[in-house]
Amino acid sequence: MQPRKNLILILASIGTFVEALDIAIINLTIPSIQSQFNITANTVQWLQTLYVLFFGGFLIIGGKLSDQIGRKKIFIIGGAIFMLTSLGAGMSVNFQTLAVFRALQGLGAAFIMPSALSIVTHTFQKDQERNRALGIFSAFAAIGSGSGLSIGGIISTYLSWHWVFLINVPILFITIILSYKFLPSDIQNKNQKSTDMISGILLVSGLLLMTYGTHEFIHIQENPVLILGSVILSLVLLSAFIYRLKNISNPLVDLKLFSHRSLVISNLTFFSLGAFFISFLFLISLMLQKDMDYSAADSGLMLVPFSILSALIAKFILPAVSKKLNSVQIGILGWSFMLTGALCLIFAIYLNHPTVLVLTGAACISGVGMTLCFTSLSVLGIRDAEPQQYGVASSLTSTSYFLGAGIGLSLMTLMTQFFPSEWAVSTLSLSILFIYGFIAVVFLLYFIIKEYKTVRTSLHY
């Protein structure tokens, strides 16, 4: 039985590896895509924004559908969507088509991730083996995120940007065939209530229109009706989303969850983390290639050590740190590295981009800070929730992360359009990156103050 279990774990892990890989892999291909379609960096960033908004917006729906329809079915459906949209993206002959397929990739990823996690947790039910399995599952996701920049740079240099998408096709085709054959059959849950798809569509539509209005705000004098109309319609759709959550019997998200202030604060911090890290991935690729004239392959190879460093931190350093520091303290430590990294990149502009300083900044952010921050915030996100709410609470934190990524990247793009620079990555862009991190630290101070008050109250008794 154990070999079959291990095969199930590998199949689920490959699914999450591919979706994590695709978040990062596109960044070092951006100059190639810009060149082929003759578009600006502000336009090409929509490829990342659409992916993360669709991913985050439909993530909770993906989790609910895996419970309602079956985790195996949703995993295979998500894999098929991701495979076909990867094929479509790789064969795109214009930017508009590429953007549509990129958005639908996010939808496929939103089905893959929660169903894959559900497959792992239901296959490995003993505590010790489940923890080991989740560790391997998380490692695949971390390796996918960490290696994405490197693989993307090498592929776009020696093949073409098309293969950044096409590489997914054979991997997912084999994974789907093996999943159909070896994943355990779904058990029908007759008591499971239907999933509220309308709420998900309202959420994603509202966020897309809000993001579009933010991104294009600089052109409001030329297109006032279109841009203001987008913002107003987005507010209407998001209001309808909240109204629906309050008034239907089986809402997509139970609003009672938000009575836990710690959950709200941790989700806001996750939102900041998404805005910070995805913006960093976008900026570091532009800085290395546009401002420092490295090829995509060289840029990717320079970032390989940080993928390894991140894995080493997670494997050896984090367990030791966790014994001495609580989750809030680990979060503060992680954000200290993130802010230090942002400062290194800011100073690098004024010092004519010394490679050592740029790579030091990247190491602080992607090598150390992200590992510490993501781990601590994942714990804080479910700390005050009831055990039966852990699944939804975890989905909320992931949703907040990806929505923060899409909106944060668009806001940064808007500000750089208002204040253009001679550099592809300006001081303003990196200052906004720093502000995202600073806001997260302010949110984390809530937990420090809360713990201080708890200790003080206990001393009085």
Side-chain angles (χ1 to χ4, degrees):
M1 179 64 182
Q2 194 62 38
R4 183 182 176 89
K5 278 188 171 184
N6 289 337
L7 177 59
I8 292 169
L9 175 60
I10 291 170
L11 292 172
S13 298
I14 289 174
T16 196
F17 169 83
V18 171
E19 57 86 7
L21 179 76
D22 258 58
I23 295 174
I25 197 171
I26 195 173
N27 284 283
L28 285 181
T29 67
I30 283 170
S32 299
I33 296 173
Q34 278 184 256
S35 177
Q36 175 161 339
F37 296 126
N38 193 27
I39 54 177
T40 65
N42 297 329
T43 301
V44 80
Q45 66 90 16
W46 275 104
L47 296 179
Q48 194 68 297
T49 300
L50 288 168
Y51 182 86
V52 296
L53 284 180
F54 270 70
F55 194 165
F58 285 106
L59 193 58
I60 296 175
I61 285 182
K64 294 226 171 187
L65 284 175
S66 68
D67 291 335
Q68 179 191 343
I69 298 174
R71 60 190 73 94
K72 177 179 180 178
K73 288 189 183 73
I74 293 301
F75 182 77
I76 291 174
I77 290 170
I81 292 171
F82 205 102
M83 179 184 71
L84 294 173
T85 53
S86 295
L87 179 63
M91 298 178 67
S92 297
V93 294
N94 58 63
F95 181 75
Q96 291 76 13
T97 304
L98 175 58
V100 170
F101 280 120
R102 180 65 173 165
L104 293 175
Q105 270 191 314
L107 175 63
F111 285 2
I112 290 173
M113 187 174 179
S115 57
L117 181 59
S118 181
I119 287 167
V120 173
T121 55
H122 281 80
T123 302
F124 299 87
Q125 297 190 356
K126 295 179 181 178
D127 287 344
Q128 188 172 355
E129 69 170 6
R130 177 180 286 180
N131 291 337
R132 171 187 162 273
L134 289 175
I136 293 171
F137 181 83
S138 300
F140 268 80
I143 293 168
S145 297
S147 60
L149 285 173
S150 309
I151 295 172
I154 294 168
I155 288 175
S156 63
T157 298
Y158 295 109
L159 295 171
S160 75
W161 66 262
H162 300 272
W163 282 97
V164 166
F165 301 104
L166 295 175
I167 193 175
N168 295 326
V169 177
I171 296 172
L172 285 169
F173 180 77
I174 294 170
T175 302
I176 290 169
I177 297 299
L178 294 176
S179 297
Y180 181 79
K181 183 174 178 61
F182 292 106
L183 289 185
S185 299
D186 295 318
I187 299 173
Q188 292 297 322
N189 184 357
K190 296 181 180 179
N191 297 322
Q192 183 67 38
K193 297 180 180 178
S194 60
T195 300
D196 180 23
M197 293 289 290
I198 294 175
S199 291
I201 293 169
L202 288 172
L203 175 61
V204 174
S205 300
L207 289 170
L208 281 173
L209 287 168
M210 179 64 75
T211 304
Y212 174 80
T214 302
H215 186 273
E216 296 295 317
F217 193 78
I218 193 171
H219 303 299
I220 192 166
Q221 289 186 330
E222 298 113 74
N223 299 300
V225 175
L226 179 61
I227 294 170
L228 286 176
S230 297
V231 174
I232 293 169
L233 183 56
S234 74
L235 293 174
V236 171
L237 291 172
L238 293 174
S239 298
F241 167 71
I242 295 171
Y243 177 83
R244 188 171 177 84
L245 292 184
K246 290 180 178 179
N247 291 280
I248 64 171
S249 59
N250 182 37
L252 187 63
V253 180
D254 187 352
L255 291 177
K256 291 179 183 177
L257 265 177
F258 295 100
S259 63
H260 301 297
R261 190 173 295 177
S262 63
L263 183 139
V264 174
I265 298 297
S266 63
N267 273 273
L268 289 172
T269 314
F270 251 114
F271 187 93
S272 301
L273 182 64
F276 185 101
F277 192 67
I278 299 300
S279 296
F280 160 75
L281 292 178
F282 184 76
L283 294 176
I284 194 68
S285 64
L286 286 180
M287 179 177 280
L288 288 170
Q289 294 181 82
K290 295 286 190 178
D291 294 333
M292 300 173 67
D293 295 324
Y294 286 105
S295 69
D298 289 341
S299 301
L301 290 171
M302 284 192 292
L303 297 172
V304 167
F306 309 138
S307 307
I308 299 171
L309 177 61
S310 179
L312 293 175
I313 293 288
K315 177 68 176 176
F316 299 107
I317 305 299
L318 189 56
V321 172
S322 299
K323 292 178 182 178
K324 297 186 177 181
L325 302 177
N326 61 35
S327 296
V328 178
Q329 292 168 332
I330 292 173
I332 294 290
L333 178 63
W335 277 110
S336 299
F337 276 98
M338 301 283 248
L339 293 175
T340 301
L343 285 175
C344 286
L345 296 177
I346 291 172
F347 291 144
I349 293 178
Y350 290 106
L351 298 174
N352 200 27
H353 300 90
T355 302
V356 172
L357 190 57
V358 172
L359 294 183
T360 299
C364 287
I365 294 171
S366 64
V368 182
M370 183 61 177
T371 305
L372 298 176
C373 288
F374 199 90
T375 303
S376 68
L377 294 179
S378 297
V379 174
L380 292 173
I382 63 172
R383 186 166 69 172
D384 291 344
E386 300 296 328
Q388 63 269 24
Q389 296 175 321
Y390 282 173
V392 177
S394 296
S395 296
L396 277 176
T397 58
S398 298
T399 297
S400 297
Y401 175 82
F402 289 112
L403 297 183
I407 295 170
L409 188 55
S410 288
L411 180 60
M412 177 182 288
T413 302
L414 173 67
M415 296 307 296
T416 54
Q417 287 181 81
F418 274 119
F419 304 99
S421 167
E422 61 179 309
W423 300 106
V425 177
S426 65
T427 306
L428 175 62
S429 298
L430 294 170
S431 298
I432 294 172
L433 192 71
F434 185 89
I435 291 169
Y436 289 155
F438 181 77
I439 290 171
V441 173
V442 172
F443 286 140
L444 284 176
L445 289 177
Y446 161 80
F447 291 104
I448 293 176
I449 294 169
K450 181 182 178 182
E451 289 179 1
Y452 172 75
K453 287 181 177 179
T454 303
V455 171
R456 202 172 168 189
T457 302
S458 63
L459 289 175
H460 284 303
Y461 287 98

